[in-house]
Amino acid sequence: MIEYVDADKAPLKNTGQIKIYSQEDFEGMRKASQMTAECLDALVPLVQPGVTTQEIDDFVFQFGKERGGVPATLNYRGYTKSCCTSINRVICHGIPDPKKKLKEGDIVNIDVTYIVDGWHGDSSRMYPVGKLKPAAKRLIEVTHESLMRALEVAKPGNTTGDIGHAIQEYVESERCSVVRDFCGHGVGKLFHDMPNILHYGQKGAGTKLMPGMIFTIEPMVNLGRPDVKVLKDGWTAETRDKSLSAQFEHSIGITSSGCDIFTTSPAGLFNPLDAQTGAAA
Ligand code: MF3
Ligand code: CO
Ligand code: CO
């Protein structure tokens, strides 16, 4: 039986219960999340052929330092970087590396979480490196659209299973696959909390969505099979069949009628392919 607890009265740890947050808490989440979104916007011109993933990490660290945001991944469970940079077949948790240069045609997910006043703003997007092949563009479009469809059903009365179902049904109808090994998560004063948000599932399954819940939705979608291989570094997760993988992530709060998206892009750059069309026009 899933229990819901008032976040103000719950201990600062994962108790297995789902925390219900106040309007004031929502404003704390929005502030942290907007710093993350501004950083992801500011990264757009930096993501070019020849730039290293360490240079991206340095930018994320510095951007936070100048604004009072601490990267949540720094020293998180032994991780030592300020963001994750996941290129092509890397599904998630790619480690920034001074030897890793982006090249024309790559697709890279950059995942940033700043902590501001104790609140965690967690978001990621895809970035095209120069001109993409049609298959890579399509994967990005399908993954972005799967998150948009999930946000439509993230409202009271629905369940976490409705979110997973919306993603899975759409992704598979596009002959892509949903990664099962990683999920969205409760977020707030903790980086990873209950509930788990699976990106696949049955309508009506899982736990009921209630106003005041705060969590991420972060579907990882592969062009090929869903199977994952974690490299010897203990972090980098790749597609087993070496097919391309993409991911988008928002941090959201459930309201009385729908959801509040905390990590919206101030510059309207969340979907990189929209932005590219704009630049070419
Ligand atoms: N930001 C990731 C998420 O969306 C978590 C990264 S943990 C790290 O939940 F240690 F790999 F950085
Ligand atoms: Co997350
Ligand atoms: Co993230």
Side-chain angles (χ1 to χ4, degrees), residues 53 56 79 83-87 90 94-97 108-111:
T53 51
I56 293 171
Y79 194 84
C83 65
C84 298
T85 49
S86 303
I87 305 170
V90 179
I95 307 171
D97 179 346
V108 58
N109 174 280
I110 306 178
D111 191 336

Side-chain angles (χ1 to χ4, degrees), residues 39-180:
C39 175
L40 293 177
D41 283 354
L43 281 165
V44 169
L46 188 70
V47 179
Q48 298 290 343
V51 83
T52 70
T53 51
Q54 182 60 49
E55 289 173 302
I56 293 171
D57 197 72
D58 293 343
F59 182 93
V60 172
F61 180 80
Q62 195 57 35
F63 190 95
K65 191 172 155 158
E66 286 162 11
R67 292 164 181 80
V70 176
T73 55
L74 259 186
N75 306 313
Y76 177 78
R77 297 176 186 231
Y79 194 84
T80 60
K81 301 290 177 176
S82 297
C83 65
C84 298
T85 49
S86 303
I87 305 170
N88 297 340
R89 72 171 79 137
V90 179
I91 296 167
C92 63
H93 304 163
I95 307 171
D97 179 346
K99 297 189 298 293
K100 189 78 199 172
K101 276 195 168 87
L102 298 178
K103 56 182 200 309
E104 181 85 16
D106 283 348
I107 58 171
V108 58
N109 174 280
I110 306 178
D111 191 336
V112 173
T113 307
Y114 285 124
I115 309 172
V116 179
D117 303 331
W119 297 102
H120 292 65
D122 186 5
S123 184
S124 82
R125 304 178 196 165
M126 298 307 296
Y127 295 78
V129 183
K131 195 169 156 46
L132 299 188
K133 292 206 171 106
K137 263 193 195 166
R138 188 174 80 88
L139 176 64
I140 289 176
E141 203 53 73
V142 168
T143 309
H144 178 270
E145 176 63 18
S146 77
L147 175 55
M148 296 305 114
R149 290 180 180 220
L151 294 168
E152 290 287 323
V153 298
K155 57 182 179 196
N158 284 349
T159 67
T160 56
D162 291 317
I163 292 175
H165 180 79
I167 293 166
Q168 181 181 15
E169 182 176 65
Y170 172 67
V171 164
E172 292 179 353
S173 80
E174 291 289 335
R175 306 174 315 283
C176 296
S177 67
V178 175
V179 172
R180 308 291 207 273

Side-chain angles (χ1 to χ4, degrees), residues 109-278:
N109 174 280
I110 306 178
D111 191 336
V112 173
T113 307
Y114 285 124
I115 309 172
V116 179
D117 303 331
W119 297 102
H120 292 65
D122 186 5
S123 184
S124 82
R125 304 178 196 165
M126 298 307 296
Y127 295 78
V129 183
K131 195 169 156 46
L132 299 188
K133 292 206 171 106
K137 263 193 195 166
R138 188 174 80 88
L139 176 64
I140 289 176
E141 203 53 73
V142 168
T143 309
H144 178 270
E145 176 63 18
S146 77
L147 175 55
M148 296 305 114
R149 290 180 180 220
L151 294 168
E152 290 287 323
V153 298
K155 57 182 179 196
N158 284 349
T159 67
T160 56
D162 291 317
I163 292 175
H165 180 79
I167 293 166
Q168 181 181 15
E169 182 176 65
Y170 172 67
V171 164
E172 292 179 353
S173 80
E174 291 289 335
R175 306 174 315 283
C176 296
S177 67
V178 175
V179 172
R180 308 291 207 273
D181 300 54
F182 302 97
C183 58
H185 50 91
V187 67
K189 294 232 168 166
L190 295 180
F191 194 2
H192 294 108
D193 201 355
M194 291 292 277
N196 290 329
I197 305 295
L198 306 186
H199 302 116
Y200 59 93
Q202 308 294 322
K203 275 188 182 162
T207 61
K208 264 209 162 7
L209 301 178
M210 303 281 199
M213 284 170 68
I214 295 179
F215 53 84
T216 74
I217 309 177
E218 49 181 299
M220 285 143 272
V221 174
N222 300 346
L223 269 185
R225 307 272 321 152
D227 311 76
V228 174
K229 179 173 109 180
V230 176
L231 302 190
K232 287 194 199 69
D233 61 26
W235 286 104
T236 313
E238 293 190 351
T239 55
R240 257 188 197 282
D241 65 4
K242 304 189 184 341
S243 67
L244 284 184
S245 188
Q247 178 178 29
F248 285 86
E249 174 176 30
H250 270 315
S251 292
I252 72 169
I254 301 297
T255 64
S256 58
S257 61
C259 70
D260 215 343
I261 304 168
F262 299 129
T263 43
T264 50
S265 162
L269 299 175
F270 190 71
N271 181 342
L273 300 183
D274 283 358
Q276 230 184 18
T277 314

